[in-house]
Amino acid sequence: MPEFLYNKKLYYNPVEFAMGRIGGTWKMPILWRLKDKTLRYGELKKDIPHITHKMLTSQLRELEEEDFINRKVFPVVPPKVEYSITERGRRSIQIIESIRAYGLELMDEFKVEHKK
Amino acid sequence: MPEFLYNKKLYYNPVEFAMGRIGGTWKMPILWRLKDKTLRYGELKKDIPHITHKMLTSQLRELEEEDFINRKVFPVVPPKVEYSITERGRRSIQIIESIRAYGLELMDEFKVEHKK
DNA sequence: CTGGATCCGATTTGATACTG
DNA sequence: CAGTATCAAATCGGATCCAG
């Protein structure tokens, strides 16, 4: 496999590159929430259990910077900011869905207790 | 999405669970190498650029423990240990392939320079 | 309401030395 | 050759405070 640089970081393969864009604990949950609706910052915060202010803002920044989501600021007081998915973000949903399906299979194999 | 415990760690969704098993920087490259051949420790080490001794051993341990790979020890001097993929590991290859294909698309979109 | 910045502890990883 | 143990460095993430 080839290795290559992107934004001064070294990647060893395409999988690592993909996970660098939409991986980590929070990016997929965020993209998933925006799949088919626009949400305000506070709504995302409320919808995603356990995510902290710091992680939500930083992950939103990165997703926006790489054009997976749009950020729309309304010049009102108090502030109102809406996040929506982009075409690039929409394409990521398919992969997220297949990883999710695989995860459910594994959970079944590993007999993980969970609610439907 | 439900949250659940596995091995005393809290997961928030199936995607996170799947990535907990086969994610991280090294597990997919290891599984990929073992896709259709058995390899000795030293061969894996040589085949995977940049991986350190410590990371290779720890990741092999985890993959073995969760039955993604087999470990076969030959009682000879010097030691000889062979790693091969299991049925569960083989099933992970499909997901790895689709993430890889998605990664290649993204690399193209982001105009990442790389060798074929 | 949204967001940036700082501090600090926890976790992860790399380098190195040692073993049968 | 394969593996373990230890220590240090780097990274990550949570809590908290300030701001428009």
Side-chain angles (χ1 to χ4, degrees), chain A residues 54-69:
Chain A
K54 176 180 180 174
M55 291 314 292
L56 181 52
T57 51
S58 69
Q59 302 306 290
L60 285 171
R61 265 337 131 262
E62 293 178 19
L63 287 171
E64 184 201 357
E65 203 155 335
E66 300 193 319
D67 197 36
F68 286 90
I69 62 174

Side-chain angles (χ1 to χ4, degrees), chain A residues 68-109:
Chain A
F68 286 90
I69 62 174
N70 291 128
R71 179 169 180 264
K72 184 173 179 184
V73 182
F74 294 82
V76 297
V77 183
K80 172 177 172 179
V81 181
E82 282 185 352
Y83 293 94
S84 58
I85 204 161
T86 61
E87 178 50 33
R88 173 174 292 162
R90 202 176 311 282
R91 269 176 277 134
S92 75
I93 296 294
Q94 301 172 48
I95 281 292
I96 296 175
E97 276 171 349
S98 62
I99 298 175
R100 183 186 152 83
Y102 177 66
L104 286 168
E105 283 176 42
L106 281 182
M107 286 165 62
D108 202 41
E109 289 181 34

